């Protein structure tokens, strides 16, 4: 049985609460003889700032570089609203993405039939939805320079962010989207704002050329990002794989989350390039929900997105597709059985805690394995 090195970064808010549940699932994989996981812990976000004045320390960055995969909880909260911009909690996450070169962010939005009523949209619109948002994660306006506020000296200031994309960045994220589509329903929708942005014009050109050159067997559509946002809530089942830039991907994936019933349901994988020599790639797995400071410490957070993120690690980092299927089936089974955390309560009459949900998924896994 192979042993894999995981770095667990629970972070802030509900991060540590959901991290406890994912550890149980990882441990179970060892007991079941599927794969064993050596788990190290590190600090990121506000808790890292409180401990050593940085949103992630050099030592813990090194742990992340050395791990086979990073499991990330969440960062941030009102407690750190006033800390300097460079060491704010989110900077730790952005540094991990940038330094590990995790350019491909996969955000699947799957609506389990049992949860169709928890969505704010009608059942027929979201039931059985299965789409994949592929978000570019190391470029665009998140990292473009200059990025600053300058004093104009006349009582005015100017805030500047730079949206910038090079051909290679668009091509490599496009490839990820086309490859995924081939294993799914063979359709990619590429999204930008070419009607107002030069980076959007280039994005559209590069994706179109890549498609023609290497992926003509895949259906390709282009939609302006505002229109895609509208279509996502109008008829989301028209999509299979959506590929878009860092900022649009951030927004559109939050929208997609609500199609599934709750932000507490969405896992994600952030992947680097595969090393041709070792066949390995750097990777970080995190739930799309944030630190949810309003419910932190209450033991009511939904651990499904975090456990689902570990499922993605099994699939994308460790080649354990069957074990990943098992995790998804276990989640599906507890939902079918009617278990609900507060965020997915819908019409249910009672809810369970974070720990109860985690334990129920574990019990289901034991049954299935
Ligand atoms: C996300 C989050 C992050 C982002 C924040 C926490 C920096 O919203 O992963 O979607 O904007 O990328
Ligand atoms: Mg976001």
């Amino acid at each position: 049985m192979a042993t894999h090195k995981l770095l667990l970064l629970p972070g802030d808010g509900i991060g540590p609460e959901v991290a406890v549940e994912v550890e149980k699932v990882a441990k179970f994989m060892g007991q079941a003889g599927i794969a064993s996981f050596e788990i190290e812990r590190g600090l990121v976000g506000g808790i890292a700032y409180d401990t050593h004045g940085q949103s992630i320390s050099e030592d813990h960055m090194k742990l992340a570089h050395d791990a086979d995969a990073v499991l990330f909880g969440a960062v941030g909260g009102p407690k750190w609203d006033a800390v300097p911009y460079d060491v704010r909690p989110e900077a730790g996450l952005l540094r991990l993405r940038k330094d590990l070169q995790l350019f491909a962010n996969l955000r699947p939005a799957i609506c389990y039939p049992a949860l169709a009523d928890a969505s704010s949209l009608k059942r027929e619109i979201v039931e059985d939805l299965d789409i994949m948002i592929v978000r570019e994660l190391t470029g665009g306006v998140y990292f473009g320079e200059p990025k600053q506020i300058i004093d104009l000296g006349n009582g005015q200031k100017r805030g500047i962010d730079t949206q910038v994309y090079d051909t290679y960045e668009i091509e490599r994220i496009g490839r990820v989207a086309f490859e995924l589509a081939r294993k799914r329903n063979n359709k990619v929708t590429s999204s930008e704002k070419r009607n107002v942005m030069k980076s959007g014009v280039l994005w559209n050109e590069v994706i179109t050329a890549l498609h023609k050159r290497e992926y003509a067997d895949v259906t390709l559509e282009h939609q302006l990002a505002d229109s895609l946002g509208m279509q996502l809530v109008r008829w989301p089942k028209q999509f299979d794989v959506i590929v878009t830039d860092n900022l649009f991907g951030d927004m559109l994936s939050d929208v997609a989350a609500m199609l599934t019933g709750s932000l507490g349901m969405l896992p994600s994988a952030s992947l680097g390039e595969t090393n041709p020599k070792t066949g390995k790639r750097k990777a970080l797995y995190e739930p799309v929900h944030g630190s949810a400071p309003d419910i932190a410490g209450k033991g009511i957070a939904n651990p499904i997105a975090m456990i689902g993120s570990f499922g993605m690690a099994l699939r994308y980092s460790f080649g354990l597709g069957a074990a990943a299927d098992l995790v998804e089936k276990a989640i599906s089974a507890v939902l079918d059985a009617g278990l609900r955390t507060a965020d997915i309560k819908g019409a249910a009459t009672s809810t369970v805690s974070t720990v109860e949900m985690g334990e129920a998924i574990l019990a289901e896994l034991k049954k299935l394995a």
Side-chain angles (χ1 to χ4, degrees):
M1 184 169 65
T3 298
H4 305 293
K5 256 172 44 182
L6 292 178
L7 174 66
L8 184 63
L9 297 172
D12 309 318
I14 61 171
E17 295 167 46
V18 294
V20 171
E21 301 313 309
V22 86
E23 268 187 278
K24 294 177 190 166
V25 174
K27 210 165 138 198
F28 161 80
M29 292 293 158
Q31 291 158 355
I34 294 169
S36 88
F37 294 96
E38 219 176 271
I39 303 184
E40 268 198 279
R41 273 171 210 73
L43 300 179
V44 69
I47 185 159
Y49 176 77
D50 290 347
T51 312
H52 38 235
Q54 283 174 293
S55 51
I56 184 161
S57 69
E58 297 308 319
D59 286 355
H60 291 191
M61 269 311 299
K62 177 154 191 331
L63 291 179
H65 275 286
D66 293 344
D68 293 317
V70 178
L71 284 184
F72 184 98
V75 288
K79 181 177 175 201
W80 302 283
D81 274 353
V83 308
Y85 186 80
D86 288 347
V87 289
R88 72 198 189 286
E90 291 77 9
L93 173 59
L94 296 177
R95 174 154 183 218
L96 281 160
R97 289 174 179 172
K98 193 70 179 173
D99 286 12
L100 300 180
Q101 295 181 48
L102 309 173
F103 68 93
N105 186 214
L106 275 42
R107 299 190 159 186
I110 294 169
C111 182
Y112 295 93
L115 278 194
D117 293 320
S119 171
S120 50
L121 278 85
K122 293 192 198 95
R123 170 175 279 274
E124 62 267 27
I125 296 191
V126 296
E127 191 171 19
D128 290 321
L129 177 77
D130 180 354
I131 60 180
M132 175 72 87
I133 297 190
V134 177
R135 168 188 177 194
E136 199 291 324
L137 203 60
T138 49
V141 79
Y142 272 60
F143 297 99
E145 295 287 348
K147 188 179 198 63
Q148 60 188 163
I149 298 176
I150 48 179
D151 200 326
L152 298 176
N154 58 355
Q156 294 287 305
K157 289 181 181 177
R158 178 172 295 156
I160 304 171
D161 291 285
T162 305
Q163 164 82 348
V164 50
Y165 273 108
D166 290 357
T167 306
Y168 81 95
E169 294 177 285
I170 304 169
E171 263 182 8
R172 67 181 179 182
I173 195 70
R175 273 207 180 87
V176 170
F178 286 124
E179 295 288 341
L180 277 169
R182 277 183 176 160
K183 294 186 199 134
R184 297 170 45 98
N185 294 316
N186 218 38
K187 179 176 166 188
V188 169
T189 306
S190 169
S191 189
E192 29 58 21
K193 281 283 289 178
R194 64 187 177 282
N195 51 350
V196 283
M197 296 164 78
K198 285 291 182 186
S199 59
V201 172
L202 182 69
W203 183 284
N204 185 280
E205 273 174 24
V206 172
I207 295 286
T208 303
L210 175 67
H211 174 251
K212 193 166 166 209
R213 216 169 52 233
E214 295 173 36
Y215 296 98
D217 55 301
V218 181
T219 304
L220 172 65
E221 281 179 3
H222 299 277
Q223 273 189 22
L224 297 174
D226 54 343
S227 164
L228 188 129
M230 182 269 286
Q231 291 294 339
L232 256 186
V233 288
R234 191 185 74 85
W235 189 241
K237 288 184 222 173
Q238 68 185 282
F239 299 111
D240 178 24
V241 176
I242 293 171
V243 63
T244 190
D245 77 10
N246 206 341
L247 184 62
F248 294 140
D250 180 43
M251 295 182 52
L252 295 170
S253 59
D254 266 28
V255 174
M258 274 320 292
L259 305 174
T260 70
S262 162
L263 205 48
M265 294 296 300
L266 237 71
S268 85
S270 304
L271 309 174
E273 206 88 68
T274 304
N275 179 329
K277 281 192 205 125
T278 61
K280 288 188 178 186
R281 66 190 340 174
K282 297 251 183 277
L284 178 148
Y285 298 88
E286 62 171 311
V288 173
H289 64 67
S291 56
D294 52 323
I295 60 161
K298 295 187 182 163
I300 59 169
N302 185 350
I304 290 180
M306 185 83 208
I307 293 172
S309 299
F310 178 67
M312 291 189 83
L314 295 173
R315 191 181 305 284
Y316 292 105
S317 278
F318 307 122
L320 297 168
D325 289 344
L326 219 60
V327 172
E328 278 162 26
K329 275 195 199 120
I331 292 172
S332 203
V334 299
L335 294 173
D336 284 343
L339 258 74
R340 299 286 183 271
T341 42
D343 57 306
I344 48 174
K345 184 164 183 275
T349 48
S350 65
T351 58
V352 298
S353 68
T354 309
V355 174
E356 285 165 331
M357 183 57 98
E359 295 287 341
I361 292 170
L362 199 63
E364 208 49 62
L365 272 172
K366 287 181 180 158
K367 254 195 260 168
L368 290 166

